[in-house]
Amino acid sequence: MPRPHFRQAFQIAALTVLLTGAPAMAQAPAVAGAGSASSAAPGAPCVLLFGQGRNFDPEQSAANRRWDEANGAFNLAVREPLAAAGLRVINLVLPVSATDLPRNLQGLLAEVQRCGCTRVLETALFADVAQGLLIARLRVYPVLGLLGPQAAGSQPRIGAVAYTQQKEFTLDARVMDRVNPSRLGRVMGEEAAAALVVPRE
C-alpha cells in the first residue's frame, strides 16, 4: 500500500522541474508598480492583476516557496500582453500562506479603490491532486460601485465572473517538463487581452 505522503512527495519533485529558473517572489503580499503601455491614457481605469496559489502546506516550506515563484512568474507574464494592448495594469500577488480569505478580499478591494481599477483579472496556477491535474486559470470580474455617483460610505464590490480561461495538464513529471509558468502566462494573457480590450471606433 502506498505511503500517505507519496503522492505529495511526487508532486513536490515534479514542481522542482516546473519551477526551475522561475524568479523569486517575496513571502509577503507584493504590489508591482502601475506600469502601462504608451497607448494607455494616464488616469485611465486599470485592471488589477491579482494572483495567488492554492496549495499551501504549513509543513512544506520549500513547496510553498516554489508555488509562490510559479504564481509570481505566471502573473507577471500575463501582464505583458495586456500592457502591450494598451491596458493600464496593476499587479498584486499574495503568497500561498495568505489563507485568511476575508482579509485577502479586504486588501484586494482597498487596492482596487486606491488605484481606480474597474476590473480584476485573477491568475492562479495550482495542483488539483484529487483530479491529478495542474490547472492554470484566468478569471475576470467587474468591479461594481466604483464609477458614477456613490452613496456616502459605500464600498466597491466584486461582481460575477465575466470571463474564464482555463488550461489543464495531467499532473505527472512528463507534462511538468513541458510547462513553464512564464511562457504559459504570456500565451493565456494574449487570449485574455483580446477579450478585455474594447475595439476603438
Side-chain angles (χ1 to χ4, degrees):
M1 180 176 178
R3 290 175 295 177
H5 296 294
F6 172 79
R7 193 166 189 176
Q8 183 180 51
F10 167 79
Q11 174 187 344
I12 292 170
L15 279 172
T16 302
V17 177
L18 168 69
L19 302 174
T20 299
M25 288 291 296
Q27 294 301 303
V31 180
S36 59
S38 58
S39 58
C46 64
V47 176
L48 185 67
L49 197 54
F50 173 73
Q52 186 180 19
R54 302 282 191 277
N55 299 96
F56 176 63
D57 185 338
E59 298 180 358
Q60 297 287 343
S61 59
N64 295 335
R65 184 173 61 254
R66 294 183 189 113
W67 279 120
D68 287 340
E69 291 169 351
N71 275 279
F74 182 58
N75 182 276
L76 288 173
V78 169
R79 172 199 180 93
E80 294 177 17
L82 301 182
L87 293 169
R88 180 169 163 255
V89 184
I90 309 294
N91 293 74
L92 173 64
V93 182
L94 299 183
V96 293
S97 59
T99 57
D100 186 334
L101 298 183
R103 182 179 179 184
N104 293 350
L105 179 58
Q106 183 179 24
L108 172 63
L109 290 173
E111 191 65 15
V112 160
Q113 194 165 24
R114 185 183 73 84
C115 298
C117 295
T118 56
R119 290 174 290 185
V120 172
L121 173 51
E122 179 190 22
T123 69
L125 182 64
F126 60 98
D128 186 329
V129 179
Q131 295 189 63
L133 295 173
L134 176 72
I135 297 174
R137 178 187 296 158
L138 302 182
R139 284 180 175 166
V140 176
Y141 303 83
V143 177
L144 307 177
L146 190 67
L147 300 178
Q150 300 179 30
S154 65
Q155 298 293 322
R157 63 191 187 282
I158 306 299
V161 177
Y163 169 88
T164 299
Q165 181 189 163
Q166 180 167 308
K167 296 188 184 300
E168 299 177 350
F169 308 89
T170 303
L171 192 62
D172 61 36
R174 186 174 61 180
V175 171
M176 290 295 189
D177 282 336
R178 299 197 302 266
V179 173
N180 177 286
S182 295
R183 183 171 60 245
L184 182 61
R186 281 190 293 273
V187 170
M188 294 181 71
E190 288 173 1
E191 185 176 326
L196 286 168
V197 176
V198 177
R200 295 178 180 177
E201 298 295 336

